[in-house]
Amino acid sequence: MKKLSIVIPAYNEEQRIIKTLNEYYEFFNNKFKNDFEIIVIVNGSTDKTIEIIGEIKKLKGDKIEFKEVGDLSPEEFTSTRQKMLDLSSCDWFIMVDGDEVWWEDSV
């Protein structure tokens, strides 16, 4: 079982998702090696967010997953955040936004 899940909800993040995923991947790969996963939850994006995540997944392998949850209202998406916990089978869980910058001293 992996130790850490990083869950990232994303809506129309094509301008930022590459930097976000690369930063998280590099940081957590250095800290946890194979004991982490990144799950991106895409909420009805109308841009190229899904395609970009797919390309990053090809480069990074099975540590990055993504799920498309459709076009949800803010209220529905809030309840979906609770369901995101169910996607993780890890000991620890972190939820961050698709445009969030990770600071090394955060962990």
Side-chain angles (χ1 to χ4, degrees):
M1 176 190 306
K2 293 179 176 147
K3 290 184 179 178
L4 178 67
S5 281
I6 302 99
V7 179
I8 305 171
Y11 175 77
N12 288 344
E13 296 293 346
E14 73 178 357
Q15 298 297 317
R16 296 171 291 272
I17 199 69
I18 293 172
K19 180 178 181 190
T20 298
L21 288 177
N22 283 333
E23 285 182 5
Y24 287 130
Y25 181 89
E26 294 305 319
F27 177 80
F28 287 106
N29 195 46
N30 287 336
K31 294 271 187 190
F32 292 93
K33 300 296 177 213
N34 291 318
D35 286 340
F36 77 98
E37 64 186 0
I38 298 173
I39 304 170
V40 183
I41 308 298
V42 182
N43 177 25
S45 289
T46 58
D47 64 1
K48 295 184 190 305
T49 299
I50 293 173
E51 291 88 348
I52 292 168
I53 295 167
E55 291 301 314
I56 294 171
K57 181 174 172 42
K58 287 179 191 175
L59 297 172
K60 305 295 187 191
D62 65 351
K63 290 185 186 175
I64 296 179
E65 295 294 329
F66 68 94
K67 312 278 186 212
E68 187 172 8
V69 295
D71 192 11
L72 303 178
S73 71
E75 294 81 21
E76 291 171 316
F77 196 64
T78 299
S79 67
T80 299
R81 285 178 172 243
Q82 295 298 318
K83 293 176 188 173
M84 290 177 194
L85 288 168
D86 295 337
L87 295 174
S88 170
S89 60
C90 297
D91 296 333
W92 295 91
F93 176 88
I94 297 172
M95 186 177 305
V96 297
D97 289 324
D99 61 351
E100 192 168 329
V101 175
W102 188 259
W103 302 105
E104 231 179 277
D105 60 354
S106 297
V107 174

